[in-house]
mmCIF file of all heavy atoms in Angstrom:
data_model
loop_
_atom_site.group_PDB
_atom_site.id
_atom_site.type_symbol
_atom_site.label_atom_id
_atom_site.label_comp_id
_atom_site.label_asym_id
_atom_site.label_seq_id
_atom_site.Cartn_x
_atom_site.Cartn_y
_atom_site.Cartn_z
ATOM 1 N N GLU R 9 0.798 -1.221 0.002
ATOM 2 C CA GLU R 9 0.003 -0.002 0.000
ATOM 3 C C GLU R 9 0.836 1.284 0.000
ATOM 4 O O GLU R 9 0.309 2.355 -0.264
ATOM 5 C CB GLU R 9 -0.967 -0.013 1.186
ATOM 6 C CG GLU R 9 -2.023 -1.085 1.031
ATOM 7 C CD GLU R 9 -2.961 -1.167 2.222
ATOM 8 O OE1 GLU R 9 -2.825 -0.371 3.176
ATOM 9 O OE2 GLU R 9 -3.825 -2.065 2.202
ATOM 10 N N GLY R 10 2.117 1.180 0.286
ATOM 11 C CA GLY R 10 2.988 2.353 0.297
ATOM 12 C C GLY R 10 3.613 2.564 -1.082
ATOM 13 O O GLY R 10 3.155 2.034 -2.096
ATOM 14 N N LEU R 11 4.700 3.327 -1.115
ATOM 15 C CA LEU R 11 5.429 3.611 -2.342
ATOM 16 C C LEU R 11 6.371 2.469 -2.665
ATOM 17 O O LEU R 11 7.168 2.052 -1.817
ATOM 18 C CB LEU R 11 6.235 4.893 -2.158
ATOM 19 C CG LEU R 11 7.232 5.268 -3.263
ATOM 20 C CD1 LEU R 11 6.501 5.596 -4.562
ATOM 21 C CD2 LEU R 11 8.113 6.427 -2.825
ATOM 22 N N LEU R 12 6.276 1.912 -3.877
ATOM 23 C CA LEU R 12 7.190 0.875 -4.337
ATOM 24 C C LEU R 12 8.277 1.525 -5.174
ATOM 25 O O LEU R 12 7.973 2.171 -6.186
ATOM 26 C CB LEU R 12 6.464 -0.195 -5.165
ATOM 27 C CG LEU R 12 7.347 -1.247 -5.819
ATOM 28 C CD1 LEU R 12 8.079 -2.103 -4.792
ATOM 29 C CD2 LEU R 12 6.520 -2.134 -6.743
ATOM 30 N N ILE R 13 9.512 1.384 -4.736
ATOM 31 C CA ILE R 13 10.673 1.862 -5.512
ATOM 32 C C ILE R 13 11.271 0.637 -6.180
ATOM 33 O O ILE R 13 11.751 -0.268 -5.506
ATOM 34 C CB ILE R 13 11.684 2.588 -4.619
ATOM 35 C CG1 ILE R 13 11.050 3.863 -4.059
ATOM 36 C CG2 ILE R 13 12.961 2.887 -5.378
ATOM 37 C CD1 ILE R 13 11.932 4.634 -3.108
ATOM 38 N N HIS R 14 11.225 0.641 -7.511
ATOM 39 C CA HIS R 14 11.621 -0.527 -8.315
ATOM 40 C C HIS R 14 13.131 -0.459 -8.574
ATOM 41 O O HIS R 14 13.580 0.086 -9.567
ATOM 42 C CB HIS R 14 10.822 -0.528 -9.609
ATOM 43 C CG HIS R 14 10.783 -1.840 -10.279
ATOM 44 N ND1 HIS R 14 10.038 -2.072 -11.383
ATOM 45 C CD2 HIS R 14 11.419 -3.013 -10.021
ATOM 46 C CE1 HIS R 14 10.192 -3.304 -11.787
ATOM 47 N NE2 HIS R 14 11.021 -3.889 -10.969
ATOM 48 N N PHE R 15 13.900 -1.068 -7.675
ATOM 49 C CA PHE R 15 15.353 -1.027 -7.726
ATOM 50 C C PHE R 15 15.891 -1.672 -8.995
ATOM 51 O O PHE R 15 15.423 -2.719 -9.426
ATOM 52 C CB PHE R 15 15.928 -1.763 -6.507
ATOM 53 C CG PHE R 15 17.433 -1.738 -6.456
ATOM 54 C CD1 PHE R 15 18.084 -0.669 -5.875
ATOM 55 C CD2 PHE R 15 18.182 -2.748 -7.015
ATOM 56 C CE1 PHE R 15 19.472 -0.626 -5.833
ATOM 57 C CE2 PHE R 15 19.557 -2.732 -6.992
ATOM 58 C CZ PHE R 15 20.216 -1.657 -6.390
ATOM 59 N N GLY R 16 16.908 -1.035 -9.587
ATOM 60 C CA GLY R 16 17.598 -1.608 -10.716
ATOM 61 C C GLY R 16 16.956 -1.331 -12.064
ATOM 62 O O GLY R 16 17.449 -1.768 -13.104
ATOM 63 N N HIS R 17 15.876 -0.609 -12.067
ATOM 64 C CA HIS R 17 15.200 -0.302 -13.325
ATOM 65 C C HIS R 17 15.410 1.149 -13.672
ATOM 66 O O HIS R 17 16.019 1.918 -12.912
ATOM 67 C CB HIS R 17 13.712 -0.699 -13.243
ATOM 68 C CG HIS R 17 13.555 -2.189 -13.190
ATOM 69 N ND1 HIS R 17 13.398 -2.955 -14.308
ATOM 70 C CD2 HIS R 17 13.627 -3.045 -12.152
ATOM 71 C CE1 HIS R 17 13.344 -4.230 -13.950
ATOM 72 N NE2 HIS R 17 13.481 -4.312 -12.663
ATOM 73 N N GLN R 18 14.937 1.573 -14.846
ATOM 74 C CA GLN R 18 15.220 2.885 -15.417
ATOM 75 C C GLN R 18 15.255 4.028 -14.406
ATOM 76 O O GLN R 18 16.236 4.739 -14.329
ATOM 77 C CB GLN R 18 14.173 3.233 -16.480
ATOM 78 C CG GLN R 18 14.477 2.695 -17.846
ATOM 79 C CD GLN R 18 13.448 3.169 -18.838
ATOM 80 O OE1 GLN R 18 12.279 3.310 -18.528
ATOM 81 N NE2 GLN R 18 13.880 3.411 -20.056
ATOM 82 N N GLU R 19 14.187 4.197 -13.691
ATOM 83 C CA GLU R 19 14.075 5.353 -12.801
ATOM 84 C C GLU R 19 14.994 5.233 -11.577
ATOM 85 O O GLU R 19 15.445 6.231 -11.036
ATOM 86 C CB GLU R 19 12.623 5.507 -12.361
ATOM 87 C CG GLU R 19 12.343 6.879 -11.777
ATOM 88 C CD GLU R 19 10.859 7.067 -11.520
ATOM 89 O OE1 GLU R 19 10.030 6.218 -11.922
ATOM 90 O OE2 GLU R 19 10.523 8.080 -10.911
ATOM 91 N N TYR R 20 15.257 4.019 -11.134
ATOM 92 C CA TYR R 20 16.048 3.780 -9.929
ATOM 93 C C TYR R 20 17.132 2.721 -10.175
ATOM 94 O O TYR R 20 17.067 1.619 -9.622
ATOM 95 C CB TYR R 20 15.145 3.319 -8.770
ATOM 96 C CG TYR R 20 13.992 4.258 -8.499
ATOM 97 C CD1 TYR R 20 12.691 3.909 -8.866
ATOM 98 C CD2 TYR R 20 14.203 5.493 -7.924
ATOM 99 C CE1 TYR R 20 11.640 4.771 -8.633
ATOM 100 C CE2 TYR R 20 13.168 6.371 -7.699
ATOM 101 C CZ TYR R 20 11.877 5.999 -8.049
ATOM 102 O OH TYR R 20 10.837 6.855 -7.827
ATOM 103 N N PRO R 21 18.139 3.054 -10.969
ATOM 104 C CA PRO R 21 19.125 2.039 -11.364
ATOM 105 C C PRO R 21 20.141 1.659 -10.287
ATOM 106 O O PRO R 21 20.761 0.623 -10.371
ATOM 107 C CB PRO R 21 19.828 2.684 -12.550
ATOM 108 C CG PRO R 21 19.686 4.148 -12.307
ATOM 109 C CD PRO R 21 18.365 4.334 -11.643
ATOM 110 N N ASN R 22 20.309 2.514 -9.260
ATOM 111 C CA ASN R 22 21.338 2.236 -8.273
ATOM 112 C C ASN R 22 21.023 2.931 -6.947
ATOM 113 O O ASN R 22 20.092 3.701 -6.849
ATOM 114 C CB ASN R 22 22.715 2.666 -8.783
ATOM 115 C CG ASN R 22 22.746 4.144 -9.141
ATOM 116 O OD1 ASN R 22 22.270 5.016 -8.400
ATOM 117 N ND2 ASN R 22 23.296 4.444 -10.319
ATOM 118 N N TRP R 23 21.821 2.624 -5.941
ATOM 119 C CA TRP R 23 21.578 3.153 -4.610
ATOM 120 C C TRP R 23 21.773 4.662 -4.501
ATOM 121 O O TRP R 23 21.087 5.333 -3.740
ATOM 122 C CB TRP R 23 22.430 2.418 -3.583
ATOM 123 C CG TRP R 23 21.742 1.182 -3.124
ATOM 124 C CD1 TRP R 23 22.057 -0.113 -3.432
ATOM 125 C CD2 TRP R 23 20.575 1.125 -2.307
ATOM 126 N NE1 TRP R 23 21.147 -0.965 -2.867
ATOM 127 C CE2 TRP R 23 20.237 -0.234 -2.148
ATOM 128 C CE3 TRP R 23 19.765 2.079 -1.680
ATOM 129 C CZ2 TRP R 23 19.139 -0.655 -1.400
ATOM 130 C CZ3 TRP R 23 18.678 1.667 -0.938
ATOM 131 C CH2 TRP R 23 18.383 0.317 -0.791
ATOM 132 N N GLU R 24 22.701 5.194 -5.267
ATOM 133 C CA GLU R 24 22.931 6.631 -5.235
ATOM 134 C C GLU R 24 21.684 7.407 -5.628
ATOM 135 O O GLU R 24 21.249 8.345 -4.951
ATOM 136 C CB GLU R 24 24.102 7.005 -6.165
ATOM 137 C CG GLU R 24 24.462 8.471 -6.131
ATOM 138 C CD GLU R 24 25.617 8.792 -7.046
ATOM 139 O OE1 GLU R 24 26.302 7.886 -7.563
ATOM 140 O OE2 GLU R 24 25.828 9.986 -7.281
ATOM 141 N N ILE R 25 21.051 6.998 -6.703
ATOM 142 C CA ILE R 25 19.836 7.653 -7.179
ATOM 143 C C ILE R 25 18.673 7.410 -6.196
ATOM 144 O O ILE R 25 17.878 8.310 -5.919
ATOM 145 C CB ILE R 25 19.503 7.217 -8.615
ATOM 146 C CG1 ILE R 25 20.541 7.845 -9.566
ATOM 147 C CG2 ILE R 25 18.074 7.596 -9.014
ATOM 148 C CD1 ILE R 25 20.473 7.368 -10.968
ATOM 149 N N ILE R 26 18.591 6.215 -5.664
ATOM 150 C CA ILE R 26 17.527 5.927 -4.707
ATOM 151 C C ILE R 26 17.663 6.798 -3.457
ATOM 152 O O ILE R 26 16.678 7.379 -2.976
ATOM 153 C CB ILE R 26 17.509 4.442 -4.343
ATOM 154 C CG1 ILE R 26 16.934 3.633 -5.499
ATOM 155 C CG2 ILE R 26 16.698 4.179 -3.059
ATOM 156 C CD1 ILE R 26 16.944 2.152 -5.327
ATOM 157 N N LEU R 27 18.863 6.945 -2.950
ATOM 158 C CA LEU R 27 19.061 7.796 -1.753
ATOM 159 C C LEU R 27 18.683 9.238 -2.030
ATOM 160 O O LEU R 27 18.067 9.893 -1.189
ATOM 161 C CB LEU R 27 20.496 7.695 -1.253
ATOM 162 C CG LEU R 27 20.836 6.440 -0.481
ATOM 163 C CD1 LEU R 27 22.323 6.419 -0.129
ATOM 164 C CD2 LEU R 27 19.999 6.297 0.767
ATOM 165 N N THR R 28 19.039 9.753 -3.196
ATOM 166 C CA THR R 28 18.656 11.109 -3.578
ATOM 167 C C THR R 28 17.141 11.240 -3.592
ATOM 168 O O THR R 28 16.582 12.197 -3.036
ATOM 169 C CB THR R 28 19.255 11.478 -4.944
ATOM 170 O OG1 THR R 28 20.673 11.370 -4.876
ATOM 171 C CG2 THR R 28 18.853 12.870 -5.380
ATOM 172 N N HIS R 29 16.479 10.278 -4.200
ATOM 173 C CA HIS R 29 15.018 10.291 -4.276
ATOM 174 C C HIS R 29 14.394 10.156 -2.880
ATOM 175 O O HIS R 29 13.429 10.846 -2.544
ATOM 176 C CB HIS R 29 14.523 9.173 -5.198
ATOM 177 C CG HIS R 29 13.036 9.115 -5.311
ATOM 178 N ND1 HIS R 29 12.300 10.063 -5.972
ATOM 179 C CD2 HIS R 29 12.147 8.210 -4.825
ATOM 180 C CE1 HIS R 29 11.018 9.756 -5.888
ATOM 181 N NE2 HIS R 29 10.894 8.627 -5.196
ATOM 182 N N LEU R 30 14.950 9.279 -2.066
ATOM 183 C CA LEU R 30 14.415 9.056 -0.721
ATOM 184 C C LEU R 30 14.493 10.296 0.150
ATOM 185 O O LEU R 30 13.612 10.550 0.961
ATOM 186 C CB LEU R 30 15.121 7.886 -0.037
ATOM 187 C CG LEU R 30 14.665 6.506 -0.427
ATOM 188 C CD1 LEU R 30 15.499 5.457 0.290
ATOM 189 C CD2 LEU R 30 13.193 6.291 -0.136
ATOM 190 N N ARG R 31 15.557 11.078 -0.006
ATOM 191 C CA ARG R 31 15.667 12.322 0.783
ATOM 192 C C ARG R 31 14.460 13.209 0.532
ATOM 193 O O ARG R 31 13.892 13.763 1.460
ATOM 194 C CB ARG R 31 16.959 13.056 0.439
ATOM 195 C CG ARG R 31 18.177 12.429 1.041
ATOM 196 C CD ARG R 31 19.441 13.238 0.782
ATOM 197 N NE ARG R 31 20.578 12.394 0.936
ATOM 198 C CZ ARG R 31 21.284 11.864 -0.057
ATOM 199 N NH1 ARG R 31 20.968 12.126 -1.299
ATOM 200 N NH2 ARG R 31 22.286 11.077 0.182
ATOM 201 N N GLU R 32 14.055 13.319 -0.729
ATOM 202 C CA GLU R 32 12.894 14.145 -1.074
ATOM 203 C C GLU R 32 11.594 13.516 -0.574
ATOM 204 O O GLU R 32 10.733 14.207 -0.030
ATOM 205 C CB GLU R 32 12.830 14.362 -2.594
ATOM 206 C CG GLU R 32 13.962 15.206 -3.139
ATOM 207 C CD GLU R 32 14.013 16.590 -2.487
ATOM 208 O OE1 GLU R 32 12.947 17.235 -2.353
ATOM 209 O OE2 GLU R 32 15.116 17.012 -2.097
ATOM 210 N N VAL R 33 11.455 12.223 -0.759
ATOM 211 C CA VAL R 33 10.239 11.519 -0.324
ATOM 212 C C VAL R 33 10.080 11.618 1.190
ATOM 213 O O VAL R 33 9.004 11.929 1.704
ATOM 214 C CB VAL R 33 10.256 10.050 -0.781
ATOM 215 C CG1 VAL R 33 9.153 9.241 -0.124
ATOM 216 C CG2 VAL R 33 10.146 9.963 -2.298
ATOM 217 N N ILE R 34 11.166 11.369 1.916
ATOM 218 C CA ILE R 34 11.125 11.420 3.363
ATOM 219 C C ILE R 34 10.769 12.835 3.843
ATOM 220 O O ILE R 34 9.934 13.012 4.737
ATOM 221 C CB ILE R 34 12.461 10.942 3.968
ATOM 222 C CG1 ILE R 34 12.623 9.434 3.740
ATOM 223 C CG2 ILE R 34 12.561 11.284 5.462
ATOM 224 C CD1 ILE R 34 13.997 8.888 4.009
ATOM 225 N N LYS R 35 11.364 13.816 3.210
ATOM 226 C CA LYS R 35 11.061 15.205 3.568
ATOM 227 C C LYS R 35 9.581 15.515 3.323
ATOM 228 O O LYS R 35 8.904 16.078 4.179
ATOM 229 C CB LYS R 35 11.943 16.141 2.734
ATOM 230 C CG LYS R 35 11.747 17.589 3.033
ATOM 231 C CD LYS R 35 12.656 18.451 2.182
ATOM 232 C CE LYS R 35 12.307 19.927 2.343
ATOM 233 N NZ LYS R 35 13.020 20.761 1.416
ATOM 234 N N THR R 36 9.069 15.115 2.175
ATOM 235 C CA THR R 36 7.666 15.399 1.826
ATOM 236 C C THR R 36 6.714 14.666 2.779
ATOM 237 O O THR R 36 5.769 15.284 3.285
ATOM 238 C CB THR R 36 7.386 14.943 0.365
ATOM 239 O OG1 THR R 36 8.262 15.660 -0.494
ATOM 240 C CG2 THR R 36 5.958 15.224 -0.014
ATOM 241 N N ILE R 37 6.943 13.401 3.022
ATOM 242 C CA ILE R 37 6.073 12.630 3.911
ATOM 243 C C ILE R 37 6.130 13.201 5.334
ATOM 244 O O ILE R 37 5.093 13.322 6.003
ATOM 245 C CB ILE R 37 6.415 11.123 3.882
ATOM 246 C CG1 ILE R 37 6.054 10.530 2.516
ATOM 247 C CG2 ILE R 37 5.672 10.373 4.977
ATOM 248 C CD1 ILE R 37 6.496 9.094 2.326
#
């Protein structure tokens, strides 16, 4: 029911990009 981050695919290919995205998501939530 929460946000699914699809690791290893186009939008989220690696941990560096995921961490950048998570900072924004965590801040917003």
Side-chain angles (χ1 to χ4, degrees):
E9 293 177 2
L11 172 66
L12 174 64
I13 295 178
H14 199 174
F15 182 86
H17 291 268
Q18 274 184 325
E19 197 172 352
Y20 306 107
N22 57 47
W23 274 108
E24 183 180 348
I25 289 172
I26 285 176
L27 283 176
T28 300
H29 179 70
L30 280 178
R31 284 185 201 102
E32 293 302 315
V33 169
I34 290 168
K35 181 180 172 188
T36 302
I37 292 174

